[in-house]
Amino acid sequence: MLLLYGATSVWAQGKGKISFSGTVQASETEGGGNSKITPLAYAVVSLPEIGVATTTDVKGRFEIQLSNPGKYKVEISSLGYEPLSQTIQLPARDSLKFTLKATSFYLENIVVSAESKKTGAATASKISKSAMEHIQATSLADIMSLLPGASTRTAEEIALKKVSTFSVRNGQSFGTAIIMDGAPLSNNANMQTLSLALGAGAGPSISTPNSGVDMRTITTNNIESVEVIRGIASAQYGDIASGAVIVNSKAGRTPLSIQLDVNPNVYMASVSHGVGLGRKAGVLNYGVDYTFAQYDPTEGYDTYNRVTGRVSYSNTVGKWSTNTSFNLFYTKDKAEPNPDDARDLDLMTQRDLGLRFNTNGSFNFNKNWLKNLKYTVSANYTNKKTYREEFATNSDWTYSTSKTDGAILSSMPGQDIYLADGTKITNIPDADKNGKAWRLPSDYTAIYNLYGKELNTFAQLSANFAGDLGRTHHRLIIGGEYRATGNLGEGKVFDPETPPRRSVNTNFTTQRERAFSDVPFMHQFSLFAEEYFSMDILRRKLEIVAGVRYDHIYNMDGGVAPRINASYDLIPEKLSVRGGYGITYKAPSLGYLYPDNAYFDILNFDNTTASGFSDAQKFQIATTHVYSAENPDLELAKTTKWEVGVDFKIGQVRGSVTYYEDKTRNGYMTSATFDTFKCVDYNQYSAAKPANETDMPELSLKSSDKILLQYSIPTNYFAYNSRGVEFDIDFGRINSIRTSFGLNGSWTQYKSWKNYYTFTNHTTGSSVAGSYPHMGVFEPGNKAEHSSSTTTNLRITHNIPRIGFVVTLTASVKWKEREYTTYGNDSIPVKYISRLDGQVYDFDASRIGEEEFQALDMRGRLDARRLIPESSMPPILCININLTKEIRNFMRISFFANNMFRSTPIWESKVYPGKYTRRNAKTFFFGAALSVKIR
């Protein structure tokens, strides 16, 4: 393709240059319908089909040199104004003038909902600043309520009570890319967890390791627009599995704006301003935001604080257009004990302090086929501190300071212990000369800190080529990128005397301190190429966007990801069909690549509670086992996606319908494997009372058994299928009643399962064999989670432009909602892991009644009702209202109420009578906002 482009460049040179020039002006609409027209400086004028753009000067003038005459699509945008898109013929006979209308609720067609858009032919929704202000979003996560078929956000989510991540089409939030100003916001360096060897949930619940970015940290006050790509994303986007959220921050001139948002749980205040620095000096834009949230105002001990600040500078100097920004953010999530509840002794805080640097721009050459070079460079640093304090009861477990496999220490540091025949019991490595092992008290206050210093760097460079070959138009993008992800934090820190509490489900597992800075950086290299191709066939337009991407992580295999989107006009401007297919790859997090070791401390001897021994004769002995939880076979998670759709326009009615299917067979999860069961010796000793108090007790071997130790490692065993239909219909505005109608919705089906064996047993007695039996191995995929729903959202928007008033009523109906679980053979194992040697053996089902295998028989421990699929819940209605009143272009007042009629019916399970579910739970919420602009 490049040879073809090069061969035709000589032909293009001979065509001569034409000038595309004109002026852009601003139209400010005030109350009463009056408008004021002024030149608009720093507006962006682009020709998206060839990738060429420029900005207007202080008098609103612009000029772009082109090689060929013809029809061009022109897009013009500026901060605080409604974007303009139209097709023009060049060269033009007359001087061109374009007018942008200031975004205002005085506009007749103000948009306060998500608009369907084909971003590079990918199915997407675009959400404007007006829409975000109308719903009074407290964080980026709130925009999810505007997507087709979305449910009403709960009070907990709006009030920022808990971690909120973004998921597209039921995909994993870990695979949803957040792209801000061309650079990803990655959570791959987040290691704020105790140990993946104990399972994914081991650790605090107010951070998001191995998950998506916490959307609470991203305020919408500094955002101009958002695009949510639900379909097959461009090959330019990597490290992605289930969609992308493209965030465009404010950049450009804008009046000084002061905004206050208040609801019963959240108080927000923000200031933003964009000022021109003079002729050819560029624009400086800045903003600050403060948020304080309490989910329950009567409980002042659970709060969330957020402070954000942003400064950006943008300018165009000759052929160079650039935008550079610095973002600072501080968040603190705090959950303190209830002072009125003596039983509540838990304290948990999460403090994040971050700095983001981003510079992006382009060199616009516009020479023949080479149009420009684009670059993006970013560096994100986040200092995280997690503090956890909890009162541990019945926690007299064994703990050792050793990190050496096979170490046997006693509670007397550095002292060897012998059997009566002189055989040494202890094994004290050189690194543990001062170490010890002991039994923790039954009740104590467990305290630990997690210190993370996350560093994510990103650089991308791409070249844009465009031109015509006969009747066909081509645009080619070729580029590469590099990502480095690391964590320089002190890591997991605690006092060994008060270590993190151990779960009762994890026999012998314990914790050790670990420095995150010891973890190597993850380096990712990527190359991509994508071509946009269009031509007319039978006077109908065919568009194809085809690309390929290669991602490679150092010390891991790479992946080739082809992607294609295509559309064809069956009836020009009336009816078109489209389809897409693509593969995406998601890199693992640092926590998945380099998990902490699995530590086990087994108590061999303890006479501290025995009578007849002096304090000097009482001690404990423990054996430590250490295993690496790294998985050398971990792969890039692969998702395959395809979709087909139709777009139509009948009169003023416009709409789109899309059917999609996404599937993953090697998603990330933590899981036990055959290799994570270890057979070890379990020796227990007894002591005879010494003749006098100065002698140490003589020990003898009381028993010696074999037991299995179990831990988890990161794997690719998570699998899911997601399919559904999305639709979005805009019925247009009925001018006689000043009302527009829109209907969107979705039908979804989702199934997820573990694509590997499961391991289960139960204890059968107090003996070693009964307490630590063989491990049952059950067939892969014997448990699958299913969910399905059908949802519609009818939005009725009434606006009176003359007085700047807009009210939106949303009727959200869940016509069908169902969740259930299906099971395979989960009662009798197909294999078992022997506690005697750790080997895997096929299991003969006829032996299930034998005493040796009683612990593997799950038949009597499973409820037969689990095999009955739960029925669908009946339809349910939730009505929301949003009001906005603008006062003479300098003040704006908004109000919203979700679930305004407080409909929260109770549904009773048909499978488990007496089990009730409160529907529309915690969706009733309301709030108000005041925005003032000083011009």
Side-chain angles (χ1 to χ4, degrees), residues 415-478:
Q415 184 171 335
D416 284 317
I417 307 296
Y418 297 85
L419 291 174
D421 61 5
T423 302
K424 187 168 69 171
I425 298 175
T426 52
N427 176 27
I428 306 175
D430 292 339
D432 297 314
K433 292 299 183 183
N434 297 319
K436 66 173 183 176
W438 70 103
R439 193 167 188 170
L440 296 169
S442 177
D443 300 331
Y444 70 96
T445 301
I447 300 174
Y448 65 87
N449 289 278
L450 300 172
Y451 298 99
K453 295 180 179 179
E454 302 170 14
L455 181 62
N456 293 278
T457 60
F458 172 83
Q460 184 184 84
L461 179 66
S462 62
N464 179 50
F465 303 85
D468 293 332
L469 293 175
R471 297 169 52 207
T472 63
H473 175 73
H474 301 261
R475 181 185 175 193
L476 176 68
I477 300 174
I478 299 175

Side-chain angles (χ1 to χ4, degrees), residues 179-454:
I179 312 294
M180 180 174 285
D181 302 326
L185 300 184
S186 175
N187 200 43
N188 288 346
N190 189 342
M191 301 184 70
Q192 303 295 112
T193 187
L194 284 176
S195 175
L196 288 180
L198 304 183
S205 59
I206 53 178
S207 187
T208 59
N210 310 306
S211 183
V213 174
D214 187 355
M215 295 290 97
R216 296 180 303 172
T217 64
I218 305 175
T219 176
T220 58
N221 290 317
N222 292 322
I223 296 175
E224 180 62 14
S225 65
V226 177
E227 291 183 13
V228 181
I229 299 177
R230 309 191 308 275
I232 291 87
S234 165
Q236 299 177 69
Y237 302 124
D239 200 24
I240 181 176
S242 60
V245 181
I246 313 300
V247 180
N248 301 306
S249 300
K250 289 182 178 179
R253 292 197 308 174
T254 184
L256 176 63
S257 176
I258 302 173
Q259 182 169 328
L260 301 174
D261 292 72
V262 178
N263 61 54
N265 309 82
V266 181
Y267 306 91
M268 297 175 58
S270 65
V271 178
S272 62
H273 193 200
V275 294
L277 302 179
R279 182 180 177 86
K280 297 184 179 181
V283 179
L284 184 71
N285 191 289
Y286 61 89
V288 294
D289 167 278
Y290 172 71
T291 301
F292 173 80
Q294 280 181 295
Y295 174 65
D296 188 344
T298 64
E299 299 178 356
Y301 36 86
D302 290 349
T303 61
Y304 181 81
N305 289 267
R306 179 183 66 201
V307 180
T308 67
R310 184 178 187 274
V311 177
S312 71
Y313 171 77
S314 55
N315 198 6
T316 298
V317 181
K319 297 181 181 296
W320 179 36
S321 297
T322 180
N323 179 71
T324 301
S325 64
F326 290 90
N327 288 266
L328 177 69
F329 66 92
Y330 167 88
T331 64
K332 186 174 183 180
D333 200 351
K334 181 178 65 172
E336 295 183 336
N338 184 345
D340 298 322
D341 186 352
R343 298 168 299 176
D344 186 1
L345 301 174
D346 291 355
L347 171 63
M348 183 163 49
T349 62
Q350 174 70 44
R351 190 269 298 148
D352 293 3
L353 178 62
L355 176 66
R356 302 189 189 114
F357 165 78
N358 180 295
T359 182
N360 62 83
S362 64
F363 292 94
N364 298 296
F365 301 107
N366 200 15
K367 294 291 186 179
N368 303 320
W369 285 80
L370 177 60
K371 299 305 179 183
N372 56 49
L373 291 176
K374 292 186 177 181
Y375 66 90
T376 301
V377 177
S378 71
N380 299 340
Y381 171 80
T382 306
N383 185 303
K384 291 188 175 182
K385 178 184 177 182
T386 304
Y387 177 81
R388 186 77 166 93
E389 178 181 324
E390 62 177 333
F391 188 69
T393 60
N394 300 319
S395 300
D396 49 346
W397 313 107
T398 309
Y399 187 83
S400 173
T401 59
S402 178
K403 293 185 177 181
T404 305
D405 184 39
I408 304 176
L409 307 184
S410 73
S411 55
M412 298 175 289
Q415 184 171 335
D416 284 317
I417 307 296
Y418 297 85
L419 291 174
D421 61 5
T423 302
K424 187 168 69 171
I425 298 175
T426 52
N427 176 27
I428 306 175
D430 292 339
D432 297 314
K433 292 299 183 183
N434 297 319
K436 66 173 183 176
W438 70 103
R439 193 167 188 170
L440 296 169
S442 177
D443 300 331
Y444 70 96
T445 301
I447 300 174
Y448 65 87
N449 289 278
L450 300 172
Y451 298 99
K453 295 180 179 179
E454 302 170 14

Side-chain angles (χ1 to χ4, degrees), residues 760-764 773-778 825-829 843 845 847-862:
T760 306
N761 63 12
H762 61 89
T763 59
T764 59
H774 303 311
M775 178 58 65
V777 180
F778 295 81
N825 175 20
D826 60 347
S827 56
I828 299 177
F843 182 70
R847 302 184 64 188
I848 193 66
E850 297 180 11
E851 182 178 358
E852 180 182 0
F853 299 108
Q854 285 182 1
L856 311 186
D857 186 358
M858 307 301 294
R859 291 175 297 180
R861 306 178 68 87
L862 299 174

Side-chain angles (χ1 to χ4, degrees), residues 14 320 482 500 515 647 675 698 723 760 872 913 927 932:
W320 179 36
Y482 166 74
D647 301 315
D675 295 329
E698 292 185 351
R723 64 173 181 162
T760 306
S872 298
V932 177

Side-chain angles (χ1 to χ4, degrees), residues 4-15 368-369:
L4 180 61
Y5 283 0
T8 56
S9 64
V10 176
W11 172 82
Q13 284 180 341
K15 300 291 287 185
N368 303 320
W369 285 80

Side-chain angles (χ1 to χ4, degrees), residues 234-241 458 460 479-483 523-528 548-554 556-563 583-587 636-637:
S234 165
Q236 299 177 69
Y237 302 124
D239 200 24
I240 181 176
F458 172 83
Q460 184 184 84
E481 67 184 41
Y482 166 74
R483 306 178 190 221
H523 301 275
Q524 184 172 349
F525 307 88
S526 303
L527 297 173
F528 58 86
V548 64
R549 182 184 179 91
Y550 175 73
D551 295 301
H552 181 82
I553 297 179
Y554 183 70
M556 285 188 72
D557 292 334
V560 177
R563 302 174 196 175
I583 293 174
T584 60
Y585 287 95
K586 178 68 185 77
L636 293 175

Side-chain angles (χ1 to χ4, degrees), residues 110-131:
I110 184 70
V111 178
V112 292
S113 60
E115 294 182 285
S116 294
K117 181 180 179 181
K118 292 197 300 180
T119 303
T123 304
S125 296
K126 183 175 181 179
I127 300 166
S128 66
K129 184 65 176 178
S130 298

